[in-house]
Each structure stands twice: as structure tokens, then as C-alpha cells.
Amino acid sequence: MGRTAAFFDLDKTIIARSSTLAFSRPLFAEGLLSRRAVLRSAYAQFVFAANGADHEQMEAMRGYLTEMVRGWDVQTVRQVVAETLHETIEPIVYAEAVDLIAEHHAAGRDVVIVSASGREVVEPIGAMLGVDRVIATDLVIEDGRYTGEILHYAYGDGKAELIEDLAETEGYDLADCYAYSDSETDIPMLRIVGHPFAVNPDKVLREQAEAEGWPVLLFARPVALRGRLSSPTGKAVAAFGVAAGVSLAGAAVASLMRRRLSG
């Protein structure tokens, strides 16, 4: 049997909000965002938490976010995220996700976050959580500034393709791997592993899970991580990126239904 891994979507699967939009207030304080942009981000967070969004809405958000960061100084943004990472992200991490990450590590599996958010925001979150690797969207940088263009888009079918590429490089046997997500847009990612799980699923993913016989997990307990996890590793680059797409789900639920992991 080859090596195995557990692939986790980030937004609404590991954390209760959009990882990118969570940084809107500190970026406003640094002068990178206008008050109008902050209000728009707050509205997007509300939609994210309450209603979900279809593909067209997510594409519209992708366009808005990538245009918004055009010209931003990368080093300034990295500093903002490095200074606010723990206070911004720690309170919104699901305890159930932290426990699952620990269980997979204990079983000898690598843990990989796979997110449509920018690599520069996903990597420090991944380091904080102690995961082994991240797959994320890469934005184009020229002369130390974001151009507003996308180099690699970790979204939809692109997520599945990037997972397959990583599996080939690392020797993962996808038939023995696990995957977790909340969104219909991640159905391709869930289909390529032997153990797919729907977490806080949106309507379409819940229907797909029922049709395929995929287990459904309900995460509802954000928990402060301080004391539960070790500090970020030195290899992490504390930087900020912008979501090329946002993984969305329905309202948060109030109970946990979790299958114990095998072997």
C-alpha cells in the first residue's frame, strides 16, 4: 500500500468563515482597504455564513477580489497577516477539524489543506494548524506588487487536478486517501479519493453525498487553538493572498456526527 493523505478544504470545513475576507479589518487599518470595501467584505461574510452561493456568484467574487488587490505591496500585506494571524483565525477554527487532523497524523497520514484562497494566506494558516502541505491559488507578483492576475487557480476541477499531481509526486494512493469539504464545487476533489466526507454541506453537496453514500459530518464548535497546537514552524511564510474562489456552504449546524477513522 502506498502513502496516504487527508485533504481538507479550508473555508467552512476547517474554519467557520472565509479565510481571505477574515483579514478585511486589519487590512483596512493598514490603509489597504477602503471603508466601502470593508462593508462589502462584511456583507460577503454574511452571505458566506447564511446562504451559500452558486458558481456565478463565486466567479463574481473572484473577479472583485483579484481586482481589489491590484497594486498592493506584497511585503506590507505579509506583515499585516503575520501580525494578526492568530487573533483573526484562531477563534474561528472548528474543534472537530483540529481533532480530525490529529487523528490522521496519529494514523500516519499526511494532512494537506486544499483551498481556493491565495497561497500566501493558506500557508501560514496551515503552519499554525501543523499540516504537512498546502495546495492553494497563486497570484501573479511583479516588482513586489500583485498584478490582479492569477497564475494557478485551485478551484473546482483544478483542485482535483492539483491533488492528483501532488499524489503522483508524493506517492499517495488516492484510493486509500481521505477528503473533506463543504461545497458542491469540491465534488471533483471528493470523487478522486477512496474516503470522501461532506462537512457542513451545502444543498447540492448534501444531495450528492446521499446519492453516493458519503458520510456527512457536522462541525459546529469553533475553538481557541492556543495551548492545543504547537506554534507555527519556521518554514511557514506569513503572507496574505486573495481568494480566487470561495468555498461556500449553508448555515452552521449545532451538533457533531463523526465516523471514527479506520486504521
Side-chain angles (χ1 to χ4, degrees):
M1 185 175 67
R3 299 175 61 202
T4 58
F7 301 96
F8 285 80
D9 174 51
L10 180 58
D11 299 347
K12 211 64 180 290
T13 302
I14 293 179
I15 63 176
R17 298 170 58 191
S18 161
S19 53
T20 295
L21 297 178
F23 287 98
S24 59
R25 290 191 180 277
L27 290 169
F28 169 74
E30 188 63 29
L32 293 173
L33 283 180
S34 66
R35 186 175 298 276
R36 179 181 180 184
V38 172
L39 291 174
R40 187 167 182 176
S41 294
Y43 174 73
Q45 286 281 14
F46 171 77
V47 172
F48 175 86
N51 301 317
D54 59 25
H55 176 76
E56 290 184 2
Q57 290 170 318
M58 287 188 284
E59 284 296 290
M61 180 61 69
R62 176 198 62 80
Y64 165 69
L65 290 171
T66 53
E67 179 61 30
M68 180 179 68
V69 303
R70 187 188 302 273
W72 282 10
D73 179 78
V74 177
Q75 188 56 42
T76 299
V77 184
R78 287 176 175 173
Q79 181 178 345
V80 170
V81 172
E83 293 175 351
T84 63
L85 176 66
H86 285 272
E87 66 185 76
T88 300
I89 299 300
E90 276 196 8
I92 59 174
V93 176
Y94 285 123
E96 296 92 338
V98 172
D99 292 341
L100 268 178
I101 289 171
E103 288 187 26
H104 281 297
H105 275 151
R109 302 184 189 97
D110 285 351
V111 175
V112 183
I113 291 178
V114 189
S115 176
S117 292
R119 176 174 303 279
E120 297 88 349
V121 73
V122 179
E123 284 189 340
I125 293 174
M128 183 177 71
L129 293 168
V131 305
D132 301 284
R133 293 171 180 80
V134 304
I135 293 173
T137 292
D138 292 303
L139 299 179
V140 177
I141 299 172
E142 291 182 1
D143 298 324
R145 296 181 180 275
Y146 295 113
T147 68
E149 299 173 331
I150 296 171
L151 184 62
H152 299 120
Y153 191 15
Y155 171 78
D157 289 332
K159 276 192 179 184
E161 293 169 2
L162 290 168
I163 288 173
E164 289 173 331
D165 290 343
L166 182 63
E168 183 175 355
T169 300
E170 297 296 328
Y172 297 141
D173 184 349
L174 290 176
D176 290 323
C177 288
Y178 294 70
Y180 302 85
S181 180
D182 69 289
S183 174
E184 64 174 284
T185 63
D186 285 338
I187 289 175
M189 171 179 108
L190 295 171
R191 280 179 170 160
I192 64 172
V193 301
H195 304 282
F197 290 78
V199 178
N200 296 348
D202 59 24
K203 180 179 179 181
V204 173
L205 178 56
R206 181 176 291 277
E207 292 174 350
Q208 187 69 33
E210 291 175 356
E212 300 280 354
W214 297 343
V216 174
L217 308 180
L218 305 180
F219 292 177
R221 296 186 292 119
V223 62
L225 296 181
R226 205 169 299 277
R228 289 178 61 105
L229 296 174
S230 59
S231 59
T233 61
K235 68 180 180 180
V237 179
F240 172 83
V242 171
V246 181
S247 179
L248 298 165
V253 292
S255 64
L256 166 68
M257 295 173 57
R258 179 155 61 88
R259 172 185 293 183
R260 299 295 298 176
L261 298 176
S262 61

